[in-house]
Amino acid sequence: MKVPCIIPRLGALLLALASGAALAQAPYPTKPVTIVVPFSAGGGVDAMARVLAEKLRTVLGQPVVVENKGGGSGMIGAQAVVKAPADGYTLLMGSAGETAINPYVYKSRMQYAPQTDLLPVSLIVKVPNVVVVNPKLPYKTIDELIAYARANPGKVRYGTSGVGNPQHLSGELMARQAGVQLTHVPYRGASNQLLDVIGGNIEMTFVSLAGARQFIKDGKVRTLGITSPGNSPLAPAIPAISDSATLKGYTLENWFGLFAPRGTPAPVITRLNAAVAEALKDPKLDARLRDLGGNPNPASPDQFKAFIQQESARFARIVEDAKITPES
């Protein structure tokens, strides 16, 4: 009778456990860290990732590199991070779209599950959008816009930077909460949206404050409201949409945060979260993020996770009510 040889198996198990413990306890980081931005260079997520990376280099004592992997509504870059080694050296600068909205819009097309395949590290910023219109149009407030849309069903066209993103959901939420019909027109990039508002090809657009700032300053567009809950410190002169008589309580913001692949050791997540919190205490970084249209909101991993779950549930209701699909 042969006796099973368990010694080699036991040795292999102990070696694996020791390796995992060593990884969790090893100084972090000891080499460059890569932050993947799931969009092309030059956009809001990219700009904020780069200014954050610059500060994190000092805090972490290692190079922090930003790598753009655009395409697929942010899903290509996110999936690349999901497949990366879970060692804290490949991170995702994710937005609400690819981490909390896309599962409800793209469903079976998704090749990863954000809430299980990505570990929340820290919320970085909340990013409200503003509603802008051509200054020649008759409505000067959100309530006047809603009244016009109610009297002219479907004639108010609103531009966004794509199907199923927070701008699109902002328009659908507005339409349903006010009981009006708005027509969605998706674009590729904020500049084209704004140019078409100025040219009269569409009536309004939802766009980031940073994207619209120069157009607002030059008087080429009229700002009706901001999607943050209450007047935003980013633009205190712009009224909150939630203050209007017809859209009480209305709010919908994009947000950017840092994520790591599932399985990343808890001590590494803790170190990264502390590094982000320390970085965001820098007044220069804070000011730069605000200039880019973001309101810094650091959070613990557990707080960020709870926030994502709450936001995801709300986004799911909007997508379902509006019947948003990739072809919308």
Side-chain angles (χ1 to χ4, degrees), residues 132-319:
V132 300
V133 301
N134 188 300
K136 296 179 182 179
L137 292 174
Y139 27 85
K140 297 182 179 180
T141 68
I142 287 292
D143 288 329
E144 290 177 356
L145 166 67
I146 295 302
Y148 180 89
R150 188 169 286 129
N152 299 273
K155 291 188 177 180
V156 174
R157 298 160 294 182
Y158 72 96
T160 74
S161 56
V163 172
N165 65 22
Q167 294 176 359
H168 185 187
L169 267 61
S170 292
E172 295 296 346
L173 178 63
M174 175 180 286
R176 271 143 190 79
Q177 193 168 328
V180 298
Q181 182 183 343
L182 304 176
T183 300
H184 179 226
V185 183
Y187 285 81
R188 290 183 178 273
S191 60
N192 290 332
Q193 300 165 228
L194 288 159
L195 289 174
D196 269 7
V197 167
I198 295 168
N201 296 316
I202 57 175
E203 283 64 44
M204 61 181 270
T205 187
F206 289 85
V207 66
S208 71
L209 181 60
R213 184 177 286 117
Q214 192 59 48
F215 293 90
I216 297 170
K217 184 179 179 180
D218 293 343
K220 293 182 177 180
V221 296
R222 175 188 295 145
T223 310
L224 301 189
I226 193 164
T227 65
S228 56
N231 293 82
S232 172
L234 300 172
I238 300 177
I241 295 174
S242 60
D243 290 341
S244 71
T246 50
L247 290 169
K248 292 290 184 184
Y250 174 99
T251 176
L252 198 151
E253 297 177 291
N254 196 359
W255 39 263
F256 306 155
L258 211 58
F259 296 82
R262 177 179 60 181
T264 301
V268 172
I269 298 294
T270 300
R271 175 73 180 100
L272 284 167
N273 180 267
V276 170
E278 183 178 345
L280 292 179
K281 290 178 181 177
D282 182 354
K284 291 183 179 179
L285 176 59
D286 182 273
R288 184 67 181 122
L289 290 172
R290 292 180 187 278
D291 186 58
L292 291 168
N295 187 21
N297 276 266
S300 71
D302 286 342
Q303 290 170 333
F304 189 23
K305 181 179 180 179
F307 172 77
I308 294 169
Q309 290 173 339
Q310 180 180 353
E311 289 283 277
S312 294
R314 194 161 71 96
F315 293 148
R317 288 193 297 271
I318 297 171
V319 170

Side-chain angles (χ1 to χ4, degrees), residues 62-153:
Q62 289 289 340
V64 179
V65 179
V66 173
E67 182 178 350
N68 298 90
K69 287 184 178 291
S73 296
M75 293 184 287
I76 291 176
Q79 187 178 350
V81 174
V82 167
K83 292 182 175 181
D87 55 10
Y89 290 99
T90 303
L91 307 172
L92 173 72
M93 183 69 154
S95 68
E98 68 280 3
T99 62
I101 298 175
N102 286 358
Y104 310 109
V105 176
Y106 293 94
K107 298 179 181 178
S108 61
R109 299 186 189 184
M110 295 280 291
Q111 297 185 29
Y112 64 96
Q115 293 198 32
T116 56
D117 291 337
L118 292 168
L119 294 180
V121 174
S122 179
L123 178 63
I124 307 297
V125 291
K126 294 182 180 179
V127 186
N129 286 301
V130 290
V131 174
V132 300
V133 301
N134 188 300
K136 296 179 182 179
L137 292 174
Y139 27 85
K140 297 182 179 180
T141 68
I142 287 292
D143 288 329
E144 290 177 356
L145 166 67
I146 295 302
Y148 180 89
R150 188 169 286 129
N152 299 273

Side-chain angles (χ1 to χ4, degrees), residues 35-69:
I35 297 178
V36 173
V37 170
F39 302 100
S40 58
V45 185
D46 178 68
M48 293 193 193
R50 291 182 186 280
V51 297
L52 176 65
E54 186 176 347
K55 183 61 182 178
L56 286 178
R57 289 187 187 100
T58 301
V59 176
L60 293 172
Q62 289 289 340
V64 179
V65 179
V66 173
E67 182 178 350
N68 298 90
K69 287 184 178 291

